[in-house]
Amino acid sequence: MKDPINFSDHSKGSHPRASIHNRRLVLKLLHDGPLTRSQLSEITGLRTSTITYIVRDLIQNQIVRTVGKVASQSVGRKQILVEVNPHLGWSVGIGLGGDLASLAYVDASRNMIDRDQFEISGDIMETLAQLKAHVDNWAKSRGHDNGRLLSVGMGVPGMIDPQEGVVMRSTSLQVKDLPLAKLVKKHFKVNAYIDNDVNFAAHAEAQLGSAQDHLDFVYFLMNVNTVGDRYRIGSLGSSLYLDGRLRRGSHYVAGEIDLLLQAEERQMVSAEELLLMDKPDAPITEGMHRLAVRMGTTMAAVADLIDPAAVVLGGNASISNIKMIESIQTEMNQRLLQAPGREIRVLSSKFQDRGVSVGAAIAAIDAAMLNLDESVLSRLSNHPARLLDESEQAPRFR
């Protein structure tokens, strides 16, 4: 059992803010898995009567459902487990990079429904129209009700103000001061959540990926571009997680670094080496070793500043080669300021090039579930959800 969270019991009276706060707290806990009313009361510190009222209301609105019973710690009846109803609705996460859009679809319980990608072309307005048409066609072909779309998350390269949903500057999209969240909402008719692509990729690893067991880590996203019959290793964007939280910086640019500062120095690898980088048991070539040394050197500079427990490698080129990961880890740790017992682990991303869309989808559904209001519930009531019975268990997105 988790330790109690020190929240005051706002059950006295019917203050709207207290009610919203308590409901959000319950939903946040249920997103991690089924709990009983007693467990919810113990974790939150709220009275059982308050939890009972909240859960009853959530069940009536089909936001949560019962999913079986567990033995009580004391003598008596078994306690009923409740969880978020996966069929309440769904969200889509979108990662934009170059001429490709990567999409991840999740239901209200964070279960993965599908993954998808397709080529895009034109400016951002044309891209948004293409995305809307593609998502609509996907929903129609898969039997998902568009009326139950809860939110959209979108990760883009560049400097992003996530609070306002504004792309302050993006060389890739060739835009400046673009109110992207408002534009996405206009197209999809639901709330949109915008962030830097690397931040969303790191969020996926922190929540459901390789970094779940680490409160402090750095996520590195490596970009690889085609140059003739070879591949150029370009910039290495990063995202910082400290004390279990994403750190953006005062101007939303924390972690913005470049693996290779001079264009003429940028590492080139062959198609064969790119394939070897993705194979865990493959050998490591001299070119791959040089790249590993360069990456380890850059990572050491960042790691010395924030002292993470691990770094996670992701991007459009998968690095799963054990020998290469060991070379990066060795080079980085050799260059670190030495301290007793200090060794920073290098981990391969669980989601690789799909990390941006997966992180965007998770963030979007989490935000949507915490911001369900009467207008959303009214819209959903016109599109009935199918409640699973207790024998049906949707696999959690792990």
Side-chain angles (χ1 to χ4, degrees):
M1 177 62 62
K2 298 178 181 179
D3 293 333
I5 300 174
N6 292 323
F7 287 92
S8 57
D9 191 337
H10 298 289
S11 59
K12 297 179 180 179
S14 57
H15 197 290
R17 287 187 179 181
S19 177
I20 293 172
H21 168 85
N22 292 342
R23 185 172 75 166
R24 285 181 173 177
L25 177 57
V26 169
L27 283 173
K28 185 176 180 65
L29 292 171
L30 290 178
H31 247 310
D32 291 331
L35 293 168
T36 67
R37 292 171 175 80
S38 295
Q39 290 171 332
L40 287 168
S41 178
E42 182 178 347
I43 295 170
T44 62
L46 295 171
R47 290 202 295 260
T48 303
S49 59
T50 302
I51 293 296
T52 298
Y53 175 82
I54 293 171
V55 170
R56 182 186 300 123
D57 179 68
L58 292 174
I59 290 176
Q60 288 176 348
N61 283 291
Q62 298 186 350
I63 298 171
V64 304
R65 63 174 185 172
T66 60
V67 285
K69 300 177 180 180
V70 295
S72 174
Q73 294 181 348
S74 58
V75 178
R77 296 183 301 176
K78 291 184 177 180
Q79 297 185 18
I80 298 174
L81 285 164
V82 293
E83 70 171 8
V84 171
N85 172 25
H87 291 279
L88 176 70
W90 56 280
S91 292
V92 58
I94 302 168
L96 296 183
D99 58 357
L100 193 68
S102 174
L103 298 92
Y105 305 85
V106 298
D107 66 23
S109 290
R110 284 181 163 186
N111 301 315
M112 176 64 73
I113 301 173
D114 198 5
R115 298 182 189 181
D116 190 12
Q117 65 180 19
F118 72 103
E119 292 186 357
I120 54 177
S121 60
D123 62 18
I124 186 61
M125 297 306 296
E126 292 176 349
T127 295
L128 291 177
Q130 293 170 20
L131 287 167
K132 179 60 166 62
H134 188 86
V135 172
D136 285 349
N137 289 335
W138 173 88
K140 183 178 180 180
S141 67
R142 301 302 174 89
H144 292 283
D145 189 343
N146 266 358
R148 304 201 74 82
L149 175 63
L150 296 174
S151 57
V152 175
M154 185 175 292
V156 298
M159 299 169 57
I160 315 297
D161 178 348
Q163 301 299 321
E164 298 296 328
V166 172
V167 181
M168 298 183 290
R169 187 180 68 192
S170 174
T171 303
S172 177
L173 298 182
Q174 297 183 334
V175 297
K176 183 178 180 181
D177 297 326
L178 178 74
L180 186 55
K182 291 182 180 179
L183 294 174
V184 175
K185 183 176 181 178
K186 181 178 180 180
H187 277 76
F188 286 87
K189 311 302 181 186
V190 294
N191 286 336
Y193 303 90
I194 311 299
D195 206 342
N196 174 269
D197 54 355
V198 188
N199 287 342
F200 271 146
H203 185 64
E205 299 298 332
Q207 295 296 309
L208 303 171
S210 299
Q212 290 183 79
D213 297 329
H214 299 287
L215 292 176
D216 301 283
F217 73 94
V218 184
Y219 178 92
F220 289 97
L221 185 145
M222 184 172 67
N223 294 313
V224 177
N225 303 310
T226 305
V227 181
D229 61 350
R230 294 178 67 79
Y231 297 85
R232 174 179 292 149
I233 309 301
S235 61
L236 186 73
S238 70
S239 183
L240 313 179
Y241 253 80
L242 300 176
D243 296 325
R245 294 178 57 193
L246 178 66
R247 302 297 179 175
R248 303 178 183 278
S250 299
H251 303 91
Y252 305 112
V253 293
E256 289 290 333
I257 63 172
D258 198 328
L259 173 61
L260 302 171
L261 299 181
Q262 301 298 322
E264 61 271 17
E265 296 178 356
R266 297 194 172 185
Q267 183 80 43
M268 299 284 285
V269 296
S270 66
E272 180 183 2
E273 287 175 318
L274 203 62
L275 291 173
L276 291 176
M277 288 165 56
D278 190 33
K279 296 180 179 179
D281 299 324
I284 180 172
T285 67
E286 182 179 344
M288 291 164 62
H289 179 71
R290 287 198 302 270
L291 176 59
V293 169
R294 183 64 64 86
M295 294 177 68
T297 301
T298 302
M299 292 176 184
V302 177
D304 257 339
L305 285 175
I306 63 173
D307 192 26
V311 300
V312 182
L313 303 178
N316 64 357
S318 172
I319 301 182
S320 303
N321 185 298
I322 295 175
K323 288 184 172 62
M324 186 171 181
I325 291 175
E326 289 176 346
S327 294
I328 297 171
Q329 182 169 293
T330 298
E331 186 68 26
M332 178 182 64
N333 282 288
Q334 285 178 347
R335 292 178 175 273
L336 291 176
L337 176 67
Q338 298 302 304
R342 186 185 194 192
E343 182 175 3
I344 299 176
R345 296 185 62 198
V346 176
L347 307 171
S348 181
S349 164
K350 176 179 179 179
F351 302 107
Q352 295 298 340
D353 62 330
R354 300 301 182 93
V356 179
S357 58
V358 170
I362 296 169
I365 196 62
D366 288 354
M369 293 300 295
L370 294 179
N371 290 285
L372 291 172
D373 56 26
E374 293 304 319
S375 63
V376 175
L377 294 176
S378 176
R379 172 171 62 85
L380 294 178
S381 67
N382 295 321
H383 301 266
R386 184 176 74 88
L387 281 172
L388 299 180
D389 61 40
E390 294 180 7
S391 65
E392 297 181 272
Q393 295 291 328
R396 295 193 63 78
F397 181 18
R398 296 296 184 188

